[in-house]
Amino acid sequence: MKINKVYIPLFISIILALGFVLGSTFNVSSDKGLFVKNTNTTKLHKLIDFIEREYVDSLNTDSIVDLTVSEILAKLDPHSVYIPKSDLEAVSQSMRGDFVGIGVNFYMFNDTLAIIKPIANGPSKKAGLKAGDRILFADKSQLFNRKLETNTLFSILKGKQNSKVKLTVYRKSEKRKFTVTLTRDVIPIKSVDVAIMVSKTAGYIKINRFAETTYDEFLNGLAQLKKQGANEIIIDLRDNGGGYLESAVAIADEFLKKDELIVKTKNKKGKEDFTRATEKGIFESGKVTLLINEETASASEILAGAIQDNDRGTIVGRRSFGKGLVQREMPLGDGSAVRLTVARYYTPSGRSIQKPYEDKGENYFNEFQKRFETGELYEKDKIKISDSLKFKTKKGRIVYGGGGIIPDVFVPLEGKHGEEMTMLLLQSGLMNYFVFEQLDQNRKAFTNMSISEIKDELAQNKNYFNAFKNRIKDSGLVLNLEQQKEKVIHYMHAEFVQQLFTDQAYYQLLLKEDKMVNKVLSK
């Protein structure tokens, strides 16, 4: 593979960005004592007043205040952040677990809003909109040939519950234009992607973040898997950047016995709060496995630490991110907010898994390259943790603090050493977009195919693989895809299945060649 190492952080930062904006562990709260007047705040107020009244040039003092707040928080820790008004609603919706809209997944395809798939039971699905349809107008707002930002599109399509919007739609497959009036409704944002059986006795649950609705989604999935005969549960926390601590605690409670410690938090004044399991729990016996990787963080690490330290299950994968700080979101009164670190958390054995943060910048969040260069992503023995940070689980096993959760069973990065860039591309949005383009050219033909027939078509017709190679080449990357042709076809097949069928079918296919899942099932 001929690729400059400088590209690796770029792709990792894209993957990490969303997870850590949405995923910091925090408790929503207000703090009336936050704005007590003192000399420093008076100084800041006076400075802003001087600038507004006397500064020679015209400027927006709001931007100065935003910058000042961000600079102050940057002096603290990497997870104390400012959330401007323009971003707060989107973050809040994601963590709340729903929004009001028309219910479509879409791409801006050739500067036209194209539907990837209408959301099941949503307004668009009920109105008969289909994958591949173009939405040209929402009421009188033109949505094509305007280079509209995603946030602008969202603001147009979203609205109040039960409000109506008239859509002008072009259906390419029928070469016709029509209008339809939809009634906006609450659209769930799933935090549990799927709960499926992966063997006769093992169930698999994928959690992408910990939102307000996560526990209910998880509990429903767990109950369904038990009904289907699952006496073993695999919880996939890979790439899960965290979220609400309470949701992670509630899920841990389903596996731990009464009074077993889940997590301890300690604030600035030294006050310690202990959270223990209650009498409830629908899976307190049976095998439990958690899958983690270098992007598993925060609330995900709380859950993993509780399971590991209580010797309740096995942690499989690679060392997690290492975030042991708790944030509280505090509104600033103008629609913006700060997310301030107010405590540290400790796993049941007493360890802090927070990694050092002297460097609070890009290197802190993009540690992937450092772990890649040290070989840690391929060999467990390359993981470097201070021997002084030893702790013991309930049964006396040695575990370590100071930099993430170290798995009980190590599974290296997928693909051979040197193939990392290809694997990142296959798991990124590039494949999604490519598949949508292929479907858009001949959607009718694929719609009539079964899952196995689609696989045969992709394997036997070289045009798809060659088209993907050309797409990579046009993007400026030089990768030897021929050596990984089977892997490319596998991910391409999975993406076709996701866009044409269901998430369940997608995961059933993808997990068949998942190294971590197969490691668990082979035991």
Side-chain angles (χ1 to χ4, degrees):
M1 180 181 71
K2 299 178 181 178
I3 186 67
N4 194 309
K5 289 183 180 179
V6 73
Y7 286 108
I8 293 177
L10 172 63
F11 280 89
I12 297 307
S13 63
I14 293 171
I15 296 168
L16 282 174
L18 183 60
F20 286 108
V21 168
L22 301 180
S24 297
T25 302
F26 61 92
N27 298 314
V28 177
S29 175
S30 62
D31 192 337
K32 294 181 180 178
L34 182 64
F35 304 104
V36 176
K37 284 191 176 181
N38 58 38
T39 304
N40 290 329
T41 55
T42 300
K43 185 187 297 185
L44 287 174
H45 289 155
K46 284 186 176 180
L47 175 59
I48 297 301
D49 286 341
F50 289 154
I51 292 172
E52 286 185 329
R53 287 188 286 108
E54 305 292 346
Y55 185 64
V56 64
D57 293 327
S58 299
L59 49 78
N60 182 359
T61 53
D62 287 345
S63 63
I64 296 177
V65 173
D66 288 355
L67 181 62
T68 302
V69 173
S70 296
E71 288 294 324
I72 290 172
L73 293 173
K75 301 296 182 183
L76 304 180
D77 65 83
H79 301 285
S80 289
V81 295
Y82 171 64
I83 308 174
K85 181 179 180 179
S86 58
D87 296 338
L88 186 59
E89 178 58 23
V91 173
S92 299
Q93 285 178 349
S94 177
M95 298 315 297
R96 188 172 64 240
D98 62 47
F99 67 96
V100 175
I102 66 170
V104 292
N105 294 316
F106 67 87
Y107 282 130
M108 286 306 292
F109 184 63
N110 295 331
D111 204 22
T112 303
L113 193 156
I115 297 176
I116 305 170
K117 183 190 294 186
I119 295 173
N121 301 316
S124 294
K125 183 72 173 179
K126 292 177 181 177
L129 295 188
K130 298 180 179 181
D133 285 351
R134 272 63 163 172
I135 301 179
L136 305 179
F137 289 88
D139 291 327
K140 295 182 179 180
S141 297
Q142 180 178 319
L143 305 184
F144 64 96
N145 292 339
R146 291 183 59 194
K147 294 185 166 83
L148 295 174
E149 298 289 337
T150 301
N151 287 341
T152 302
L153 287 167
F154 281 150
S155 66
I156 293 172
L157 298 176
K158 292 178 181 178
K160 294 182 179 181
Q161 188 172 5
N162 296 323
S163 62
K164 295 185 182 298
V165 58
K166 180 181 178 181
L167 303 180
T168 302
V169 180
Y170 175 72
R171 179 160 294 164
K172 183 181 177 183
S173 61
E174 300 174 7
K175 296 181 180 180
R176 70 183 180 96
K177 187 167 68 173
F178 60 94
T179 61
V180 60
T181 299
L182 306 184
T183 301
R184 295 183 178 94
D185 203 352
V186 176
I187 308 298
I189 308 174
K190 292 195 302 183
S191 55
V192 173
D193 289 335
V194 72
I196 57 174
M197 296 294 290
V198 288
S199 76
K200 291 182 179 179
T201 58
Y204 167 93
I205 303 177
K206 171 66 175 175
I207 308 175
N208 64 58
R209 71 190 187 288
F210 290 92
E212 288 182 17
T213 58
T214 304
Y215 171 66
D216 290 337
E217 292 178 55
F218 180 87
L219 190 61
N220 180 61
L222 181 61
Q224 291 300 318
L225 293 176
K226 283 190 68 177
K227 287 181 181 179
Q228 295 174 50
N231 56 27
E232 174 184 353
I233 295 296
I234 302 169
I235 303 174
D236 193 344
L237 299 176
R238 288 174 291 182
D239 305 322
N240 184 325
Y244 286 120
L245 180 149
E246 294 89 348
S247 294
V249 165
I251 289 173
D253 198 359
E254 296 300 327
F255 299 96
L256 300 175
K257 298 186 184 304
K258 182 181 179 182
D259 292 331
E260 286 187 306
L261 183 61
I262 297 175
V263 66
K264 179 185 82 171
T265 59
K266 186 176 182 180
N267 68 9
K268 181 178 182 178
K269 297 179 180 179
K271 180 185 177 184
E272 296 181 337
D273 288 320
F274 297 84
T275 303
R276 299 183 181 276
T278 64
E279 291 181 350
K280 70 171 186 175
I282 68 170
F283 207 91
E284 292 183 358
S285 60
K287 185 178 178 182
V288 178
T289 305
L290 270 59
L291 309 183
I292 66 172
N293 66 5
E294 52 283 343
E295 295 170 30
T296 300
S298 195
S300 296
E301 292 172 299
I302 290 174
L303 176 55
I307 296 298
Q308 187 177 53
D309 285 6
N310 283 293
D311 292 298
R312 176 63 187 88
T314 305
I315 310 300
V316 174
R318 298 182 294 277
R319 180 166 65 102
S320 64
F321 180 82
K323 179 183 180 295
L325 303 176
V326 182
Q327 283 72 50
R328 180 183 300 154
E329 192 171 290
M330 302 174 180
L332 293 177
D334 64 345
S336 64
V338 292
R339 190 172 294 165
L340 192 67
T341 297
V342 296
R344 294 179 181 272
Y345 76 75
Y346 300 84
T347 69
S349 66
R351 55 183 167 146
S352 168
I353 53 86
Q354 175 63 46
K355 66 180 181 179
Y357 52 84
E358 289 81 7
D359 182 350
K360 303 168 189 174
E362 184 178 343
N363 290 336
Y364 174 85
F365 289 103
N366 291 345
E367 199 183 55
F368 178 92
Q369 181 156 351
K370 179 181 177 182
R371 297 189 188 189
F372 169 77
E373 291 172 349
T374 62
E376 175 185 328
L377 300 177
Y378 292 93
E379 299 178 48
K380 185 176 183 179
D381 292 342
K382 299 289 187 181
I383 299 174
K384 303 299 181 184
I385 295 292
S386 174
D387 289 341
S388 63
L389 299 175
K390 286 183 179 179
F391 297 83
K392 290 186 178 181
T393 69
K394 201 170 185 179
K395 293 182 179 179
R397 293 187 303 119
I398 299 295
V399 289
Y400 294 89
I405 301 289
I406 298 176
D408 303 308
V409 177
F410 179 79
V411 178
L413 198 65
E414 188 174 353
K416 297 177 182 178
H417 213 325
E419 297 178 351
E420 300 79 19
M421 196 60 171
T422 301
M423 294 309 304
L424 288 172
L425 282 172
L426 294 180
Q427 296 166 7
S428 72
L430 189 147
M431 181 62 82
N432 307 36
Y433 197 87
F434 171 80
V435 168
F436 178 82
E437 287 182 326
Q438 299 303 308
L439 283 172
D440 200 57
Q441 293 174 21
N442 196 7
R443 188 173 294 274
K444 280 187 177 180
F446 280 102
T447 301
N448 295 324
M449 290 184 188
S450 67
I451 291 176
S452 60
E453 287 173 337
I454 292 173
K455 181 180 180 180
D456 292 339
E457 171 69 11
L458 298 178
Q460 295 169 12
N461 189 335
K462 295 180 180 180
N463 291 337
Y464 301 103
F465 178 73
N466 290 335
F468 186 71
K469 278 201 310 181
N470 290 333
R471 171 59 58 82
I472 298 300
K473 183 179 179 180
D474 292 343
S475 69
L477 297 175
V478 182
L479 301 174
N480 189 351
L481 295 182
E482 289 290 347
Q483 294 182 355
Q484 301 174 71
K485 184 175 181 178
E486 288 187 11
K487 187 70 71 175
V488 172
I489 295 298
H490 173 65
Y491 275 91
M492 191 183 296
H493 181 211
E495 186 57 38
F496 268 95
V497 169
Q498 186 172 41
Q499 293 193 28
L500 289 171
F501 296 90
T502 64
D503 288 344
Q504 286 78 7
Y506 167 75
Y507 274 98
Q508 289 284 11
L509 176 62
L510 205 60
L511 295 175
K512 287 180 180 179
E513 295 189 24
D514 189 294
K515 289 178 67 174
M516 288 194 196
V517 172
N518 287 331
K519 185 82 170 181
V520 177
L521 297 178
S522 66
K523 290 198 167 216

